[in-house]
Amino acid sequence: MQELAKEWKRSGIRVALVPTMGALHAGHLSLIKHARQAVSSSGKVVVSVYVNPIQFAPNEDFSKYPRDLQNDLRLCEETGADVVFSPSDQVMYPYKSEENAPALRESTYVCEGFLSQSMEGVTRPTHFRGVTTVVNKLFNITLPDYAVFGAKDFQQAAIIKRMVRDLNIPVEIITAPIVREADGLALSSRNRYLSPDERTQALCLSQAIALARQNVSQASQDAQSLKADLKAFIEKNPSAQVDYIEFFDPETLAPVAKVQHGVQIALAVFVGKTRLIDNATL
Ligand code: AMP
C-alpha cells in the first residue's frame, strides 16, 4: 500500500483516504462519495477497512464487532473506491505479539491530550489514543492529501483535526454529515446488534435531539435542567440508559451552561447492551 501511494505521489496523483472499521453502510458510502469529490476522477480514493484492536478496551466489543469483508469490497467497488486497504493485525502491529520481549513491542502512541478528556474519553479512557495512533499509521501508509471522517463521531473528528493542526500533518480533513435511517436513527455498524424491540427504543437518541431543538427555539435553556429532562425522556424506554448527554461549543468542545442556537449536543445511550451515540448542532 505504501509503495503504491508513493508511486501515486511521484506521479502527482491526489489521494483521499476514508478510514473505516468495515461492516459498511450508507454512512460510510457517503464518505467515499465525499472523497471522490475531493480528488475528482483523476485522483485515487482509498478505503481502509480495519477493526483496530487498540481503540477497544478489554470489556468492549472488539471480538464480536461485525466483520464482512466480501460485502464491504462489493460496496466499495459499487461506490467507486479505487483501493480497499484491509490489513491484518500482523501488518499493523507486527511487534505486539506476547512472544516479543517488552523491549521489542510497539511503544509509540499519538495522544491528543485536551479534547479527548470529555464525553467518549470519560467512558472510554484509552479509546482516542488508539484512534489517533491508528489514523497516523494509516496516513503514513496511504499518504493521503485528504481524509474523510463522519460527523457521526463528532468528538473524533474534532480530535483528528486538532492532531493534524498540532503535528503539521499535511492532510486536509473533510467532515461529512450524519446519514440517518428514514425514522431518524443514525446509521451505525453497531445497529445490527439491536433486537427489533431495541431498534424501536433506539429512536430515543434522535428524538431527544429533536426535543432539545424544540427547547432551544423556545428560549435559551439551562443546560443542567435540559439534560435532566432529556435523560428522563430517554429512560422512559425500559432498555435505554444514558451514559452521557453534553451541551458544548462545537469548536472547543467546552461545556456550556446555557443551551442556545449553535450549541452542539452529543449523547451516548446504552440500548440493552449496545452503546449508541448521536449528535447535532442545535
Ligand atoms: P466506523 O467504521 O464506525 O469506525 O466509522 C468510520 C467512519 O464512518 C467514521 O468517520 C464515522 O464517523 C463514519 N460514519 C459512521 N456512521 C456514519 C453515519 N451514520 N453517517 C456519516 N458518517 C458515519
Side-chain angles (χ1 to χ4, degrees):
M1 182 69 243
Q2 199 178 47
E3 285 307 315
L4 181 59
K6 281 192 204 165
E7 220 174 281
W8 287 338
K9 276 261 125 46
R10 279 194 292 272
S11 316
I13 293 172
R14 286 186 305 167
V15 178
L17 171 68
V18 179
T20 82
M21 298 203 299
L24 301 183
H25 51 63
H28 298 114
L29 304 186
S30 87
L31 306 189
I32 297 176
K33 291 172 195 156
H34 276 84
R36 173 57 65 202
Q37 223 165 21
V39 295
S40 76
S41 55
S42 59
K44 299 290 184 189
V45 171
V46 178
V47 179
S48 62
V49 173
Y50 182 58
V51 185
N52 173 37
I54 70 166
Q55 71 188 66
F56 289 80
N59 62 331
E60 293 180 345
D61 56 345
F62 173 71
S63 58
K64 69 165 188 165
Y65 196 84
R67 291 162 171 87
D68 191 353
L69 186 59
Q70 284 316 310
N71 196 48
D72 292 346
L73 289 173
R74 184 180 60 76
L75 290 171
C76 285
E77 184 152 29
E78 283 173 11
T79 316
D82 294 294
V83 169
V84 175
F85 177 56
S86 176
S88 63
D89 291 337
Q90 181 56 30
V91 163
M92 290 301 274
Y93 302 106
Y95 312 109
K96 205 175 192 318
S97 139
E98 288 304 313
E99 288 153 32
N100 272 345
L104 292 178
R105 287 185 209 148
E106 283 103 349
S107 54
T108 310
Y109 293 89
V110 178
C111 301
E112 191 288 322
F114 180 68
L115 302 178
S116 320
Q117 300 298 312
S118 60
M119 298 186 281
E120 292 296 295
V122 175
T123 314
R124 311 181 72 191
T126 56
H127 172 66
F128 285 124
R129 179 182 88 159
V131 171
T132 42
T133 300
V134 82
V135 167
N136 259 279
K137 287 167 72 75
L138 292 169
F139 284 177
N140 289 332
I141 293 167
T142 65
L143 308 176
D145 299 281
Y146 304 90
V148 189
F149 292 85
K152 162 85 185 335
D153 297 271
F154 188 88
Q155 188 178 12
Q156 168 176 282
I159 289 167
I160 299 286
K161 282 185 199 148
R162 176 65 66 93
M163 171 185 85
V164 161
R165 186 197 79 174
D166 289 351
L167 299 182
N168 307 87
I169 299 176
V171 177
E172 186 176 321
I173 303 302
I174 298 168
T175 311
I178 302 179
V179 177
R180 297 177 180 279
E181 303 279 8
D183 63 4
L185 180 69
L187 296 191
S188 164
S189 305
R190 290 187 168 99
N191 290 349
R192 63 182 77 185
Y193 298 150
L194 301 168
S195 70
D197 180 45
E198 288 169 346
R199 169 66 182 79
T200 308
Q201 296 186 47
L203 280 179
C204 66
L205 285 92
S206 56
Q207 287 169 347
I209 291 174
L211 195 58
R213 204 165 252 142
Q214 279 172 22
N215 277 268
V216 169
S217 47
Q218 278 161 18
S220 118
Q221 260 267 11
D222 174 61
Q224 288 306 333
S225 72
L226 186 51
K227 269 188 219 178
D229 292 351
L230 295 182
K231 181 172 158 66
F233 170 80
I234 287 168
E235 292 182 351
K236 274 195 287 189
N237 295 281
S239 305
Q241 185 158 23
V242 170
D243 182 3
Y244 66 79
I245 302 173
E246 205 56 74
F247 294 103
F248 57 94
D249 179 295
E251 296 298 322
T252 63
L253 308 193
V256 297
K258 291 277 174 217
V259 181
Q260 295 165 327
H261 284 285
V263 160
Q264 196 76 17
I265 178 175
L267 69 170
V269 176
F270 283 97
V271 179
K273 290 197 169 110
T274 306
R275 187 170 177 280
L276 301 176
I277 57 173
D278 203 346
N279 74 88
T281 312
L282 298 178

